[in-house]
Amino acid sequence: MSMVNTAEGVDPTYKSLYRFGGAAGMVVALLIVIEVIFFTLYPQPSTVRGWFELFQVSPIIGLLDFWGLEILMYAMYAMVFLALYVVLRRVNQSGMAIAVTLALLGIAIFFATNNPFSMLSLSSKYAAVTTEVQRSTLLAAGEAVLANTNQ
């Protein structure tokens, strides 16, 4: 197996993809730092009722605290993995096909299970209900959303 060097391994056809993939990687790194700082300043609530209250008081902080930045991060990850596939496929095409497939599958699972907007909607409904039965139902739905996101 030969190693790809910069002189012969970079296909100029994909130059813009390489740049976008690199920029996406830097955006992800920046967003991770922002997210760590944000989670330090605004710790996540430990209960569904706490989440509902946070979303009612500040929907933006609620969305960001409920992994909202990660939606953008994972979209950027897709570009990073695509660029890596194009660069490294000459070294090990089947390995890279498996790697990019698993990465994209993981990204799809993340999008399917990350529900900050569902929690925001449940919070709005919780604030509007008038009976204890409705509150209990919405709290149970909120628990399901939390369980779905492993929180």
Side-chain angles (χ1 to χ4, degrees):
M1 171 175 10
S2 68
M3 298 302 289
V4 177
N5 67 37
T6 56
E8 63 188 51
V10 176
D11 185 349
T13 309
Y14 296 103
K15 187 176 181 180
S16 60
L17 177 62
Y18 301 147
R19 286 186 178 161
F20 189 73
M26 287 188 272
V27 167
V28 166
L30 178 65
L31 288 174
I32 289 171
V33 170
I34 291 170
E35 187 173 63
V36 168
I37 293 168
F38 187 82
F39 284 166
T40 303
L41 295 174
Y42 301 99
Q44 294 178 317
S46 58
T47 65
V48 174
R49 196 176 307 250
W51 278 108
F52 286 173
E53 289 170 5
L54 176 61
F55 275 106
Q56 290 165 18
V57 171
S58 179
I60 299 295
I61 291 175
L63 288 171
L64 294 175
D65 231 6
F66 205 80
W67 308 104
L69 281 178
E70 297 221 352
I71 294 171
L72 180 58
M73 281 187 229
Y74 276 77
M76 295 290 107
Y77 279 137
M79 295 299 105
V80 171
F81 288 121
L82 182 59
L84 285 173
Y85 170 77
V86 171
V87 169
L88 298 175
R89 68 181 175 195
R90 292 185 185 151
V91 175
N92 185 348
Q93 190 165 7
S94 61
M96 285 309 301
I98 291 167
V100 79
T101 299
L102 291 175
L104 295 177
L105 180 61
I107 291 167
I109 290 169
F110 172 80
F111 282 127
T113 59
N114 189 339
N115 301 303
F117 296 105
S118 297
M119 190 61 89
L120 175 63
S121 174
L122 288 172
S123 173
S124 297
K125 290 177 183 176
Y126 183 82
V129 298
T130 57
T131 69
E132 195 56 40
V133 172
Q134 292 171 319
R135 280 190 184 93
S136 296
T137 301
L138 290 169
L139 286 172
E143 289 288 347
V145 170
L146 286 179
N148 194 35
T149 57
N150 293 321
Q151 296 208 7

